[in-house]
Each structure stands twice: as C-alpha cells, then as structure tokens.
Amino acid sequence: MSTEHLFDKEAKDKLKELAEGIDIALMETNLIAKQTHMVPMSTKEVDEDGAIWFLSNKDSQHNQNLNIDNELQLIYAKPGDMEFMTIYGQASITSDKAVLKKYYGKMDDTWFEGIDDPNLTAIKVVPKQAYYWDTKFGKFTSFLKMGVGILTGEKQDLGEEGHLKL
C-alpha cells in the first residue's frame, strides 16, 4: 500500500466516493465512556462541504448520546471491495422540515411513520479527521497481486491509504 494523503477537494471527493459507495457506517457515540454505543446507519449524502447526513429517531440511544457529547466516530467497511474509512467528527441534530424532506425516501418508511413522524431527525456529521484504505482493484485483483508478489519477490501496488485533510 502506498500512502497518499488527500487535501481539500480531492479529500472531499474521496470521502464522498467511499461513504456513499459503502453506504452503511457504524456510528459510534458515547466516546467519553469506556462502553461506547455503536449502531449501523445508512448514509444519505456527503454534501459539497464534506458533511455526512443520516436520518435518525430522536428517541434513539445515539441521539441521546449526541445530545450529551456531539463527538462521534464513523466506521465504513466494504471488505468485498477492500475499501475502508474511519472518520472522527462532530454531529448536530436537526428536525428542520426542509432537511428531512431532502433526505427522506420511501425505504425510510421501514423506520418512520412518514415525513411528518415527530420522531424523525437528521444528523449532520462534520468530519474533523478521516483516514482511508482503498485497494482500487477489489479483493480478487488484490489477492492476485499479492500472489504475484510472493512468487516474484517484487513489491506490488495494492492500493493506497492516507489521511483526508478536509
């Protein structure tokens, strides 16, 4: 793996590519305690500023935790494609109708009683630190390259990793 730190627009583009491509993040809250709380969350969007948006229930444990301490960790993993990203950031919770309408979709009816559900909120995560691992080639090609490296003794380009400086 080569190290490639990305900055500004390139960093935001990589963040968007991985977060929206992987979709599901483990959202870890209650970071101030030894026993944190983790829940899988579906990414709605990475906006032009690099903020990541989710929908959530206002009575959920993670919303309660974020109301006490807004720092969180997001962990994205797509092992089949060998893509991974971890993000440390700060969250804010909103019940602004325009925001909720923007992100609400038909599949959200599984968790909510429609756009007017009084428990519907959106979580905006502003990343403060991010790190990614991306093979660029997927698992099969990466394993093939590893095999070639073992057989030939030559170092193979297996992808890149680095900080995303937003």
Side-chain angles (χ1 to χ4, degrees):
M1 285 250 169
S2 61
T3 301
E4 184 175 345
H5 302 305
L6 301 176
F7 299 87
D8 302 320
K9 182 169 177 5
E10 282 184 313
K12 287 177 187 174
D13 289 347
K14 184 58 124 178
L15 181 98
K16 183 176 183 69
E17 171 194 331
L18 291 173
E20 291 181 359
I22 296 171
D23 180 33
I24 302 298
L26 281 176
M27 180 182 285
E28 183 179 21
T29 59
N30 198 31
L31 300 181
I32 58 176
K34 286 186 180 180
Q35 186 173 1
T36 62
H37 177 262
M38 294 182 90
V39 62
M41 300 287 285
S42 179
T43 303
K44 291 298 183 176
E45 178 189 36
V46 177
D47 68 21
E48 64 275 355
D49 296 324
I52 306 166
W53 290 88
F54 303 92
L55 291 180
S56 184
N57 188 308
K58 80 171 184 176
D59 296 327
S60 66
Q61 184 64 52
H62 51 278
N63 274 42
Q64 291 174 35
N65 290 342
L66 291 171
N67 283 323
I68 295 168
D69 176 18
N70 72 340
E71 294 179 343
L72 55 65
Q73 185 85 22
L74 298 174
I75 302 165
Y76 286 90
K78 193 173 189 180
D81 290 338
M82 301 293 282
E83 296 176 337
F84 307 91
M85 182 170 55
T86 180
I87 298 165
Y88 168 78
Q90 293 180 323
S92 58
I93 301 170
T94 183
S95 56
D96 180 285
K97 275 291 190 209
V99 172
L100 298 178
K101 284 180 182 177
K102 178 177 181 179
Y103 295 117
Y104 196 88
K106 189 68 178 154
M107 294 217 22
D108 296 312
D109 287 342
T110 304
W111 293 278
F112 302 102
E113 300 295 322
I115 193 71
D116 295 317
D117 187 327
N119 291 316
L120 179 62
T121 64
I123 298 175
K124 176 183 180 181
V125 176
V126 176
K128 298 298 178 193
Q129 296 177 5
Y131 200 87
Y132 74 101
W133 299 263
D134 186 359
T135 63
K136 301 187 287 188
F137 310 110
K139 187 171 22 178
F140 177 75
T141 303
S142 293
F143 286 145
L144 186 62
K145 285 178 167 260
M146 285 182 215
V148 169
I150 290 168
L151 292 173
T152 65
E154 294 177 12
K155 194 169 187 166
Q156 300 292 306
D157 177 14
L158 296 175
E160 58 192 30
E161 64 177 302
H163 289 281
L164 298 175
K165 309 280 187 171
L166 303 165

